[in-house]
Amino acid sequence: MSELVTKKELLAKLKSELDSNSLNTYIFSYEAKYGLASRPIFTKTPQPMAIPYSWKYRKVKELLNQVASLLTLEESERRNATMVNPGLKDIVSIATTPTIYSSFQVLKPGDEAIAHRHTVDAFRFVVEAPHEKAYTVVNGVKVNMREGDLILTPDWAWHGHRNEGDSDVYFMTGQNAILIYWIGASFYENYEEVTGSKFEPILYTDREILSYFEGGLVPSGGPFTVRNPLIYYPYERMRKALFSLYEKVKDPQIVVDYVNPIDGGSPLPGMRINMRLIRPKSSTRLMRRTENSVFCTFRGEAKFELPEQKKEFKCEPYDVVVLPSWTQYRIVNDTEEPAILFSYSDEPVFRFLGVFREEQKSG
Ligand SMILES: [Fe+2]
């Protein structure tokens, strides 16, 4: 028996004893030298457990409708299909990335999803909706849901959804729920249990909210006590911004961020959210960033190329791609039409910790 084998056996025995006493030691977490570290932690570059992955909207919608046909809203307060990262599914059942939970939710005509609130920050990005009469109420503000609209439900804001229109509503939800779960900060309240009513009264319209902030006016109190009181970012304005810049800026991609008008920062503290336009027959630079990103193709078609992973994801409208931190990628638009993508990430978390890094390759 060689000295190395003997050493390996001794270390394996030691590891087993450490394990049984809920202990570990550096060499078992640092590298795989003796084949005993299943997942080294101190890696030279980020090696996320999450993997790059893509979901086809057609399939998500089909299964979401099966959920909705089997469960009433009384049985399941929210009827959704959560996008579960295969690299994380054995750790947390609903993790799309290490910090973010993302799903598609459906509201059938006549549906009323009762009001609740939680410390998790969330947004809705509407992908399909009737022309009118579908809305979310956020802290007493009635916000209409139309395709491409972004609606925020900042932490501890009451929110419930209703569809009084004549066709289904489908929206994507993004939440920092996994981060909040990990750090032990999840609180939740049901509006009916607190007040005796299922829904909060409607006090303001979304147009009133927009008129305050576009005039540089910040009301105090009422529903405006949340960290970002703007709440509503209609697509009509984002679209105008993207296409006016499209005429003036000749870059392959135009990125427009949603921001919090109070402090100019990200719309929710843990999530950067934006939309981008990729020009026809164009490609972004090859890049990588320390952020966990979720992309939803909104208009047109896009292709994500991941040369290091030898993977590519082709996306039609509402298909979703998740890219873990430090994944090298470029976005390509092979078509003759502009591609518009909605995306969000946990970049603010990396910046807060002082560990944000970015690499771009020219050409
Ligand atoms: Fe919620």
Side-chain angles (χ1 to χ4, degrees), residues 304-360:
F304 288 76
E305 293 182 348
L306 284 54
E308 285 185 348
Q309 315 257 353
K310 297 184 172 54
K311 280 185 183 176
E312 66 175 41
F313 300 122
K314 288 182 179 169
C315 296
E316 296 172 337
Y318 319 142
D319 290 351
V320 173
V321 167
V322 60
L323 298 178
S325 176
W326 217 235
T327 303
Q328 190 188 51
Y329 72 99
R330 67 164 73 87
I331 310 173
V332 180
N333 179 3
D334 282 333
T335 75
E336 304 283 350
E337 300 296 325
I340 297 175
L341 283 72
F342 172 83
S343 69
Y344 66 105
S345 82
D346 52 9
E347 181 191 313
V349 176
F350 289 80
R351 288 195 184 273
F352 175 76
L353 296 172
V355 295
F356 179 77
R357 292 196 190 192
E358 180 176 35
E359 267 183 20
Q360 285 200 21

Side-chain angles (χ1 to χ4, degrees), residues 78 116 118 124 159:
R78 302 292 193 256
H116 66 207
H118 33 68
R124 332 277 148 201
H159 54 281

